[in-house]
Amino acid sequence: MKKREEPKEEDEDEIVCLDESFFINDDYELTTFTFGSQVLQLFCLQSASTDFDLTGQLVWPGAIIMNNYLSKNTDMLQGCSIIELGSGVGITGILCRRFCRQILLTDHNDEVLKILNKNIELHATSESPTTCSGLAAEKLEWGNDDHLSQISEQYSGGFDLVLGADIYILDILSFPSNIYLTYFYLNCCKFILAYVSRTKIMDVLVIDEAVKHGMQVNEVQGTRSVVGNHEGVIYEITLP
Ligand SMILES: C[S@@+](CC[C@H](N)C(=O)[O-])C[C@H]1O[C@@H](n2cnc3c(N)ncnc32)[C@H](O)[C@@H]1O
């Protein structure tokens, strides 16, 4: 029988690949959002690509629900040190900065981190609150020990609050486990999750997995609302 020939190096050189940069749209528009009495401007796209997980280039319904909730409850942010998971363009963290002591915005996608840093720069120069000393971004992949230990070293005082808005859309297999492991690692007493219902199985998993990890999940009364055609809610997740 004739033996199959292995591809030679020159053949490999001829394989054409399209990399991520070919698909990237970075035509961001400065957009205004209003949450109660809070008006906030930042750069974002109006639609996103789920290829290469570029979902973070725009503002999601979960962030609208989260920001409406936070803008009505600014007292709970006062003096806090906060970390946000899957920040996208940064609309939640940047709003919190008006009320908290320190906020770290995180994401795993390098392209998303670029627009996140651009929005941070926009607000670092356009606003100078006296309450918040720090607004920064770091790379954080949920459950990644190296990223988490780097952040823990840098922020040795820890965090009072973990925030997450619409942070599970593609990660159906590893969410919510990786997110809960990240919350565990951060050893923080409260996690506020703006959860938007997209699949029935995830509606169940989000609560079951938390309980499995020994956490308590409470739906915050009066936060169930519809944005676009998606229903969402605020969950307060705590470690006993
Ligand atoms: C649907 S977007 C939500 C963005 C923003 N929170 C909002 O509501 O507008 C999900 C975000 O989570 C980030 N993300 C997805 N999987 C992640 C992972 N495994 N680790 C860290 N971030 C992740 C994406 O890059 C994206 O910014």
Side-chain angles (χ1 to χ4, degrees):
M1 199 167 82
K2 199 171 170 217
K3 211 175 145 211
R4 194 174 76 85
E5 270 185 39
E6 290 302 318
K8 295 196 196 98
E9 244 177 60
E10 308 91 76
D11 296 337
E12 278 172 12
D13 281 349
E14 284 182 16
I15 296 171
V16 178
C17 291
L18 290 172
D19 70 21
E20 180 177 0
S21 64
F22 186 76
F23 299 94
I24 286 173
N25 173 9
D26 57 6
D27 213 358
Y28 296 107
E29 285 173 32
L30 190 61
T31 311
T32 304
F33 296 86
T34 305
F35 307 104
S37 60
Q38 301 296 320
V39 180
L40 197 147
Q41 274 199 318
L42 44 66
F43 290 102
C44 61
L45 293 186
Q46 310 303 315
S47 64
S49 163
T50 50
D51 285 349
F52 310 107
D53 189 9
L54 291 165
T55 56
Q57 291 184 302
L58 75 144
V59 171
W60 285 75
I64 304 295
I65 292 169
M66 176 72 99
N67 284 23
N68 280 330
Y69 173 64
L70 295 177
S71 67
K72 286 185 201 142
N73 295 278
T74 57
D75 278 2
M76 76 181 177
L77 305 174
Q78 305 286 347
C80 281
S81 168
I82 302 175
I83 181 167
E84 187 189 2
L85 311 181
S87 296
V89 290
I91 193 160
T92 294
I94 289 171
L95 176 73
C96 288
R97 183 212 185 204
R98 295 179 179 173
F99 311 100
C100 70
R101 174 168 54 85
Q102 165 178 279
I103 175 129
L104 178 65
L105 287 76
T106 69
D107 209 280
H108 74 149
N109 185 297
D110 291 328
E111 198 55 37
V112 171
L113 282 164
K114 281 190 211 161
I115 181 62
L116 179 56
N117 276 309
K118 185 173 168 162
N119 281 325
I120 287 177
E121 232 173 81
L122 175 74
H123 286 268
T125 49
S126 68
E127 288 173 25
S128 52
T130 48
T131 45
C132 185
S133 60
L135 169 69
E138 290 287 342
K139 184 165 180 141
L140 171 57
E141 171 95 37
W142 307 323
N144 182 312
D145 283 341
D146 291 340
H147 295 172
L148 281 163
S149 69
Q150 235 171 334
I151 287 175
S152 297
E153 244 171 67
Q154 221 177 319
Y155 291 79
S156 54
F159 302 97
D160 304 304
L161 211 53
V162 179
L163 299 179
D166 237 324
I167 49 170
Y168 44 86
I169 181 133
L170 295 178
D171 213 357
I172 230 132
L173 291 180
S174 56
F175 179 88
S177 233
N178 277 347
I179 290 182
Y180 289 149
L181 286 175
T182 304
Y183 171 46
F184 244 136
Y185 190 108
L186 292 166
N187 196 19
C188 180
C189 59
K190 199 189 279 182
F191 175 23
I192 299 179
L193 176 69
Y195 178 78
V196 175
S197 175
R198 295 206 173 80
T199 63
K200 289 209 165 82
I201 184 157
M202 194 58 83
D203 297 351
V204 174
L205 268 182
V206 73
I207 294 175
D208 282 4
E209 283 288 317
V211 172
K212 221 192 276 174
H213 284 80
M215 297 166 186
Q216 220 177 345
V217 183
N218 289 316
E219 176 175 332
V220 179
Q221 293 308 307
T223 59
R224 201 163 270 279
S225 54
V226 174
V227 175
N229 46 10
H230 299 279
E231 188 181 65
V233 68
I234 298 288
Y235 287 130
E236 264 193 18
I237 301 169
T238 47
L239 280 166

